[in-house]
Structures are given as C-alpha cells and as structure tokens.
C-alpha cells in the first residue's frame, strides 16, 4: 500500500514511523532517493557530478539547493521517450509538458526544451521565464484558475500554443481578449472528472469541492465546451484533467480517462467536431523516503496508453493526441538541499526515552512542505563518514516556529554535530518554488553541477535584497 503525500502517521515516543528501518550502515545512501551522480567519495563526503559537497559549501555557502543537471536532463528525456513510444501507434506519439510550478528558472526551462519537453506555466511570471529562456511559445501552455486579462493578452500576443480554460466566465473573457487582438485563441477545457487521487487533501485536485476546473457531473464541463465552440475567436483543441499529486499507479488515471473520453465523444457527436487533443495532467510520484515506490516512466506510459486506447475503443472514437504534465518527477529527485548543522540536543520524552534534535541553518523558509503537508524527507551526514551508531533524529530549522521541521524522523550518525554538513534529498520540486523570506532569512541559491563544474542558476538572496524592498 502506497503512502499518502502527508506521510505515515508518526508513532509516539522514540520508535518513529513503522516504515523507517534502522540502517545497517548509517553512511549508505538509499539510491532511489538521490540524483544519479550522487555518491560518497573516498573521504566519505558526498559528491555530485564529481564535485564534493565540501567544495560546494566552501564556494557557495549553505543552505543551498544543489541540482544535478545530468540527472534532470535524463529524467526529462526519459519521460519524452517513454510517452512518445507508448502512444506512437495510437496517435503518432505524445506531448510531454514540464510543469513549471515544480521549479522554474531560465536554465531549467531551456534544458527541458532541449530534451524535447514542452512547457506548462500557471502565471505571467512563469510565462516570462519560459519566454526569456527562448522556449518556442507554440510549445508553451498557460494554466490558472484566475488568469488576469493582462496574462491572457500576453499569452495570445506571444503566440502560446494553448490556454487551459478553467471556468465558464473565463470562456468569454479569453474570447473577448482574442477578439480585441484579432487572433484565434487555442484552448483546452479543464474538466473536474470526480476522481480524487490518494494524496493529501490540499493537493488532490479532481474532486468537485475545490477551485479548479469545470465539473463533469453537473454538465458544466459540457456547457463550457459548447460555449467555446460558440465563440469564433476560440479554437477548442480538446479536454484537460488533473487528478492530484504523488500518484504511484495508473488506477486513478484509468477512471479519469474513461470519463474524459466519454465527454470527448459526447462533444464530437453533439457538435460534429473532432477534438484533436486530450491532456491527462501530471501528478506522477517520486520517492522522498523508502515508503515511496514510483513507477518508471516507461511502465507508466505503457499503462496509460492501454487505458486511453481501451476508453476510446469503447466510445468508438479515434485516439486524440495525448499530453501529460510531469514536473515533480522530473526535477524533484535531481536536487538535494545542503545545510550546515548547528545546535544539537537530546530531548527527554514521556517514558524516559529521548529524541535527538539537529538544527540546521535553513528550515521552513527553504522547505515548507513538512509544515504544510507533513511531508516526509530523508537526510544524511554529508561531509564525512561516521562510525557512530545510528540515532533517531529530527532535523529542524532556525525559525521561530515549533513546526519548523525539515525531516521528521531519520536515523543519522550519532556523532553528528556543529559544523557538519547535512544533505536532504528530493528537494527539487516545490521547495525553492514555495520558499519564503520568513524571519527575514534570505532564500538559498540554486547551484547546478555537471561534469565536475558547479555554477549558480539562481543566486542567493542577501540582506541588501530584503532591505531594498523596504521603503521605510
């Protein structure tokens, strides 16, 4: 049984959650949690892309997000190849959009485009990054449940390949902007298909009681499709759905695809049109800890291809060009956060047991997901090898919040202390994207590593940056 995004319920006292096993070797890395080039060097320090973390800390400081460029590129390429191959005989291949909300900067937008991905954006800011990176606008999409007229106009002026309409009022708003500009806007209708992914309720997005999309069950999605077809300024390209996040199998997609294809066929019959596209969204899971077991892209793609083919055959329609939108599964495992440990303390719990607390020089300002979702992470002593026995440890931050927890439970070296480097894997998705300046702590840099060389993609904020916004 796969765990929820929120993580397992943590046992009271010293024992930790049931899935967390005492390691035979506290220095060993759980390979699926780390980027592909991460390993321990001869001196025991972690290396990524051939660069020791001790050198990264000396050159770039801590905390820092450390991104393995080769790993990210390989994951992007793997998704493109897997889905294109799986859907080749059904509809000539598939389009794989990178979900920029997971993490986006100019270099990453350029890299995923070079590896064959298209780019999905949710705001004007994300759109600006993609355009700055030189991504072909025709290979970009704009989502969002509350797009401004300015964002819609910018997207249409730039020539974005699709706008995903999220409500009935938005149909006329997009059409009116298109009419004013004298263009025809390519749109998809986002459908709420009534399938709730088995994730934390904050990020399950396909059940009806939430802000995204047009409900299938009430007929509103069908009315939206009809409204789009009634406006000559709009080009209805197809339907879109998204069922949640941290999904580890194809079962949820199977139900969603059947319902989406049923509406797809209904629109074609009632309006005598052939919708050329269908987007099944993203939400593909990644491994944060040993409790997570994501499907390989090829297995995922093949399973989804079987689902779509069966659904279309049942409705008697041709398979449209299918697209998906991975984000977390591409960038999440490529990155770890590097911290320096400071204060450590053992806290006596009920029953006389103790818990080791290790405070690092970051916290919820660079990774709010533990506080927001009770998300689980792993961690390791990164700057050296240790012969000390493992101790159940909670990694916490420096912020003035009792909920400022980075890693709830992990077995770490018992001699970990001030000045040691700590690495937390799987922080490429939503950590920098959700980062804040809480307690006036500047946000960390994003440092990319490849072929023995590191470079800064997003520089570290400074106190001067913070004060520059304060007009007194």
């Amino acid at each position: 049984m796969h765990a929820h995004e929120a993580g397992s319920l943590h046992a009271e006292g010293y024992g930790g959650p049931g899935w967390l096993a005492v390691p035979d070797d506290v220095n060993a890395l759980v390979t699926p949690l780390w980027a592909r080039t991460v390993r321990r060097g001869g001196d025991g320090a972690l290396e990524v892309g051939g660069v020791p973390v001790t050198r990264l800390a000396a050159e770039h400081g801590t905390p820092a997000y450390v991104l393995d460029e080769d790993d990210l590129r390989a994951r992007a390429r793997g998704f493109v190849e897997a889905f294109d191959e799986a859907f080749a005989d059904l509809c000539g291949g598939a389009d794989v959009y990178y979900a920029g909300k997971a993490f986006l900067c100019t270099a990453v937008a350029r890299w995923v485009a070079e590896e064959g991905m298209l780019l999905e954006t949710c705001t004007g800011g994300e759109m600006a990054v993609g355009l700055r990176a030189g991504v072909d606008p025709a290979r970009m999409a704009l989502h969002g449940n509350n797009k401004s007229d300015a964002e819609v106009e910018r997207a249409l002026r730039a020539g974005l390949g699709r706008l995903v309409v999220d409500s009935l009022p938005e149909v006329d708003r997009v059409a009116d902007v298109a009419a004013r500009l004298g263009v025809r806007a390519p749109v998809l209708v986002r459908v709420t298909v009534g399938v709730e992914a088995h994730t934390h309720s904050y990020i399950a997005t396909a059940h009806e009681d939430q802000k995204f999309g047009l409900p299938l069950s009430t007929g509103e999605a069908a009315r939206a499709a009809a409204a789009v077809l009634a406006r000559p300024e709009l080009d209805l390209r197809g339907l879109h759905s998204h069922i949640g996040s941290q999904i580890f199998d194809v079962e949820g997609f199977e139900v969603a695809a059947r319902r989406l294809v049923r509406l797809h066929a209904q629109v074609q019959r009632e309006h005598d049109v052939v919708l050329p596209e269908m987007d099944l969204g993203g939400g593909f899971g990644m491994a944060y800890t040993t409790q997570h077991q994501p499907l390989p892209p090829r297995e995922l793609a093949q399973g989804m291809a079987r689902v779509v083919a069966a659904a279309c055959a049942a409705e008697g329609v041709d398979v449209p060009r299918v697209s998906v939108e991975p984000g977390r599964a591409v960038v999440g495992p490529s990155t770890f956060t590097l911290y320096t440990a400071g204060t450590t303390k053992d806290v006596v719990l009920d029953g006389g047991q103790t818990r080791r607390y290790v405070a690092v020089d970051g916290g919820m300002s660079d990774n709010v997901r533990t506080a927001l979702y009770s998300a689980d992470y792993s961690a390791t002593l990164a700057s050296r090898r240790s012969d000390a026995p493992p101790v159940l440890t909670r990694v916490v931050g420096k912020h003035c919040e009792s909920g400022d927890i980075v890693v709830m439970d992990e077995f770490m070296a018992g001699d970990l202390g001030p000045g040691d480097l700590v690495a937390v894997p799987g922080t490429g998705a939503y950590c920098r994207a959700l980062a804040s300046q809480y307690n006036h702590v500047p946000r960390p840099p994003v440092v990319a590593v490849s072929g023995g060389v590191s470079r800064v993609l997003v520089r570290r904020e400074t106190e001067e940056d913070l004060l520059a916004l304060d007009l007194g």
Side-chain angles (χ1 to χ4, degrees):
M1 178 178 176
H2 294 299
H4 287 202
E5 170 64 30
S8 301
L9 295 176
H10 298 284
E12 294 182 359
Y14 190 74
W19 55 264
L20 183 63
V22 181
D24 295 328
D25 178 3
V26 75
N27 303 291
L29 299 179
V30 181
T31 304
L33 309 187
W34 296 87
R36 302 175 194 199
T37 70
V38 174
R39 57 184 52 85
R40 286 199 185 272
D43 62 355
L46 290 191
E47 296 179 355
V48 55
V51 181
V53 295
T54 48
R55 188 199 307 171
L56 293 173
E59 293 180 0
H60 304 290
T62 62
Y65 303 106
V66 181
L67 188 158
D68 182 339
E69 177 184 346
D70 297 336
D71 181 88
L72 186 150
R73 284 181 176 273
R75 292 179 192 277
R77 190 165 56 251
F79 267 98
V80 170
E81 292 173 351
F83 276 86
D84 209 43
E85 177 183 301
F87 283 88
D89 293 336
L90 297 178
C91 54
D95 293 321
V96 181
Y97 284 78
Y98 174 69
K101 65 178 183 174
F103 171 68
L104 192 63
C105 68
T106 305
V108 166
R110 187 180 303 121
W111 294 345
V112 295
E114 289 171 353
E115 299 303 334
M117 299 187 82
L118 294 82
L119 179 62
E120 174 213 329
T121 66
C122 295
T123 65
E126 291 180 356
M127 185 171 25
V129 173
L131 294 173
R132 181 189 185 196
V135 177
D136 180 357
R139 293 175 62 82
M140 291 174 58
L142 179 64
H143 278 260
N145 69 301
N146 189 31
K147 306 175 194 69
S148 69
D149 287 350
E151 288 173 326
V152 172
E153 179 171 341
R154 185 175 190 181
L156 295 180
R157 286 189 181 278
L160 261 65
R162 61 163 65 167
L163 280 72
V164 181
V165 174
D166 203 85
S167 66
L168 274 170
E170 191 177 56
V171 172
D172 286 331
R173 289 180 51 241
V174 174
D176 290 346
V177 174
R180 177 161 50 81
L181 297 178
V183 300
R184 194 161 186 240
V187 301
L188 271 67
V189 171
R190 177 158 177 171
V191 181
T192 308
V193 294
V195 178
E196 181 175 356
H198 297 295
T199 58
H200 194 289
S201 61
Y202 290 175
I203 54 176
T205 54
H207 58 293
E208 275 76 2
D209 189 13
Q210 45 92 23
K211 71 176 187 176
F212 292 109
L214 292 129
L216 180 65
S217 60
T218 63
E220 193 169 353
R223 289 194 293 274
V228 171
L229 290 168
R231 293 295 302 257
E233 306 90 348
L234 302 180
D235 176 17
L236 180 59
R237 304 298 300 167
L239 306 175
H240 176 286
S241 74
H242 180 72
I243 62 172
S245 298
Q246 274 295 77
I247 303 167
F248 294 100
D249 54 44
V250 298
E251 293 176 3
F253 290 108
E254 182 172 5
V255 178
R258 284 204 306 266
R259 295 180 181 178
L260 200 64
V261 169
R262 193 174 302 133
L263 178 60
H264 173 93
Q266 176 188 337
V267 171
Q268 290 194 178
R269 288 193 303 267
E270 293 181 357
H271 300 280
D272 193 25
V273 296
V274 176
L275 304 182
E277 300 178 27
M278 178 177 294
D279 194 316
L280 296 177
F284 310 131
M286 60 166 278
Y288 289 102
T289 68
T290 54
Q291 62 184 317
H292 301 136
Q293 299 174 27
L295 288 177
R298 192 169 302 278
E299 186 176 342
L300 184 64
Q302 291 171 349
M304 293 179 71
R306 287 193 297 269
V307 164
V308 172
C312 288
E315 294 293 332
V317 296
D318 292 335
V319 177
R321 179 82 176 185
V322 169
S323 53
V324 292
E325 302 171 348
R328 179 202 313 260
V330 173
V331 70
S334 74
T335 302
F336 62 86
T337 306
L338 188 64
Y339 299 101
T340 299
T343 301
T344 64
K345 63 173 69 173
D346 293 329
V347 176
V348 178
L349 308 175
D350 293 342
Q353 296 173 326
T354 61
R355 186 191 307 280
R356 173 72 51 81
Y357 278 73
V358 172
V360 296
D361 53 351
M364 64 190 301
S365 59
D366 60 72
N367 187 353
V368 74
R369 295 187 71 258
T370 306
L372 187 61
Y373 304 129
S374 298
D376 287 310
Y377 283 90
S378 179
T380 192
L381 171 60
S383 48
R384 60 182 175 86
R385 192 178 302 277
S386 173
D387 294 324
V391 174
L392 188 65
T393 302
R394 182 162 292 172
V395 180
V396 298
K398 62 183 291 181
H399 297 283
C400 192
E401 292 284 346
S402 59
D404 177 26
I405 299 170
V406 178
V407 181
M408 185 71 75
D409 294 291
E410 180 60 284
F411 284 101
M412 302 188 73
D415 61 349
L416 193 158
D420 283 326
L421 297 179
V422 173
V424 175
T427 58
Y430 302 107
C431 289
R432 181 58 175 80
L434 286 169
S436 72
Q437 299 164 343
Y438 184 47
N439 287 151
H440 279 63
V441 173
R443 286 175 289 190
V446 179
V447 179
V449 183
S450 177
V453 178
S454 68
R455 68 183 181 99
V456 176
L457 301 184
V458 181
R459 71 166 174 83
R460 183 184 302 280
E461 285 183 335
T462 65
E463 290 181 357
E464 288 72 22
D465 293 325
L466 303 182
L467 295 174
L469 300 176
D470 188 340
L471 302 182

